[in-house]
Amino acid sequence: VFIQQTMKTAQQDTEFMMNQKKREVQSYVRKLEKIFRALDHSGDGFVSWEEFEPLMLNPEMRLLLSTLGLEARDMDELFKLLDDGDGHLSTEEFIDGVQRMKGTAKALDVVILTRASRRIEAKLD
């Protein structure tokens, strides 16, 4: 009986932690959506460099991004990293890109970059 109760409690703890993490991610995404809407001055659902630069130089916006775990010192590079190459950011590009940039690099990201680098080196040889 004790073991069954322990297993049941452990399962509930795991479910609680998973639900908590899910709520944190949803809250983070809502905050990013709010930032994106503030950046999208034209309201067309995309953020151009012309919209991005002035607001990202705003100290309040930089502080907000900092509280979300994103320290951006070079706005031009940040825009280029988030952009898929078409010159403007969609909501998905912005949210997905910022989420991937949050915090330290993950081991999977490092492996992906290492492999890509090796493929490029092999093509150059």
Side-chain angles (χ1 to χ4, degrees), residues 2-125:
F2 175 74
I3 293 174
Q4 288 176 337
Q5 188 62 29
T6 302
M7 295 300 289
K8 183 177 179 183
T9 301
Q11 177 64 28
Q12 289 171 342
D13 285 348
T14 301
E15 289 175 14
F16 174 78
M17 288 188 307
M18 289 177 10
N19 287 332
Q20 180 67 24
K21 183 65 175 176
K22 183 178 178 180
R23 283 190 296 274
E24 289 172 9
V25 169
Q26 289 171 338
S27 173
Y28 187 75
V29 168
R30 282 192 300 274
K31 290 174 185 174
L32 292 177
E33 288 170 340
K34 183 178 179 181
I35 291 170
F36 184 85
R37 284 191 301 273
L39 291 170
D40 183 16
H41 189 45
S42 66
D44 64 356
F46 295 94
V47 174
S48 66
W49 171 248
E50 291 75 22
E51 291 171 309
F52 186 82
E53 183 182 31
L55 284 174
M56 296 306 284
L57 294 175
N58 179 316
E60 290 178 23
M61 184 63 75
R62 292 178 71 99
L63 178 62
L64 179 57
L65 285 175
S66 176
T67 63
L68 294 175
L70 183 64
E71 298 292 335
R73 288 171 181 68
D74 185 346
M75 292 299 119
D76 184 48
E77 283 303 313
L78 176 61
F79 187 85
K80 289 176 184 175
L81 287 170
L82 297 174
D83 184 23
D84 64 3
D86 61 4
H88 61 269
L89 304 175
S90 67
T91 307
E92 294 79 22
E93 283 174 304
F94 181 75
I95 292 172
D96 292 345
V98 170
Q99 283 182 311
R100 289 189 61 85
M101 295 170 78
K102 180 184 175 193
T104 57
K106 295 181 176 54
L108 179 61
D109 294 328
V110 173
V111 170
I112 290 169
L113 288 172
T114 302
R115 286 190 178 163
S117 176
R118 286 181 185 154
R119 283 193 294 264
I120 291 170
E121 283 180 351
K123 288 181 180 180
L124 292 175
D125 288 339

